Amino acid sequence: MRGHQGLLFLMRFLSRRGMFCRSCGLATYREMSAKTLWQGWWSPLSVAITPLTLLMNLGPRGRFRKLAAPAGGFGPSLDPGKSLLRRPEALLFLVPMALVVLAIPTLFVFGAFVQGAGIGKVPTLAVGDCVRNAGDWKDQDLEVVDCGSADAEYKVTRRLDAPKDECADGELLADLEYSPDKMTVSCLAPAR
């Protein structure tokens, strides 16, 4: 039987060898696996080693279950006690696992809420809007602002709908992502 303990930056590998009767083998399996369930996750590598340790214990457990009930012997056999999932140690393991299982859908719902709230969305520019650029012109980060505010740096003068259209001298081009169809360029004239 094997056990594992994760200790932040250290790990401890445990094992018990011997000749076991059915009851003693099952008791040892349940005790070591239960302790591994709650002590085995507390170092970075233990996240991978703990499941392997638990899987390795399934082989001996299967062999113990095939044995006949103990008879005679030198002393009393160990009581196997409660099954593995009915022990308090296993419940300590189930609480964080339940939190992980609940966290995944919560993150999806939160992501949908954030996207639906407009956070991270690129604004669509209309002619007459005033904007400020929080980035540089290579990586534009345009934000629509009130034209009367001090933040207004540029005003959208027109869209280049036809291939021959051009912006006036001194005007800048907004990226395509700021147009409603993602294919039309908007001209930006300095607001001041």
Side-chain angles (χ1 to χ4, degrees):
M1 293 279 58
R2 299 186 182 280
H4 180 74
Q5 292 176 336
L7 307 166
L8 294 179
F9 298 108
L10 303 172
M11 292 181 286
R12 188 169 158 197
F13 296 91
L14 309 168
S15 67
R16 285 200 191 149
R17 297 178 184 271
M19 298 291 290
F20 296 101
C21 67
R22 181 178 202 269
S23 297
C24 293
L26 288 175
T28 304
Y29 160 75
R30 290 175 180 173
E31 176 193 351
M32 291 191 75
S33 294
K35 286 182 178 177
T36 298
L37 273 175
W38 74 276
Q39 295 175 346
W41 305 97
W42 306 109
S43 75
L45 289 175
S46 293
V47 173
I49 294 171
T50 297
L52 293 174
T53 303
L54 293 169
L55 288 173
M56 288 171 43
N57 284 345
L58 293 178
R61 182 192 124 212
R63 289 191 293 273
F64 294 144
R65 293 185 79 167
K66 291 179 183 176
L67 294 174
F74 301 109
S77 61
L78 295 174
D79 178 19
K82 295 178 182 177
S83 68
L84 182 60
L85 295 179
R86 289 186 175 182
R87 293 177 179 238
E89 296 94 343
L91 293 177
L92 288 174
F93 165 74
L94 292 176
V95 169
M97 289 300 117
L99 291 174
V100 168
V101 168
L102 291 174
I104 292 169
T106 303
L107 290 175
F108 279 115
V109 169
F110 182 71
F113 171 75
V114 167
Q115 187 176 11
I119 299 172
K121 285 179 120 181
V122 176
T124 301
L125 301 181
V127 175
D129 282 347
C130 290
V131 296
R132 77 176 196 83
N133 187 11
D136 57 15
W137 284 106
K138 234 183 221 182
D139 299 315
Q140 293 179 7
D141 186 11
L142 300 179
E143 176 182 332
V144 177
V145 295
D146 186 347
C147 289
S149 75
D151 289 337
E153 296 176 330
Y154 303 96
K155 185 171 188 168
V156 180
T157 56
R158 63 189 194 131
R159 286 204 184 99
L160 304 180
D161 295 322
K164 295 180 181 179
D165 289 348
E166 292 182 3
C167 292
D169 289 338
E171 290 185 338
L172 300 170
L173 304 175
D175 285 341
L176 295 175
E177 65 182 329
Y178 294 102
S179 67
D181 59 2
K182 309 296 184 216
M183 295 173 30
T184 309
V185 176
S186 297
C187 299
L188 302 174
R192 298 181 192 108

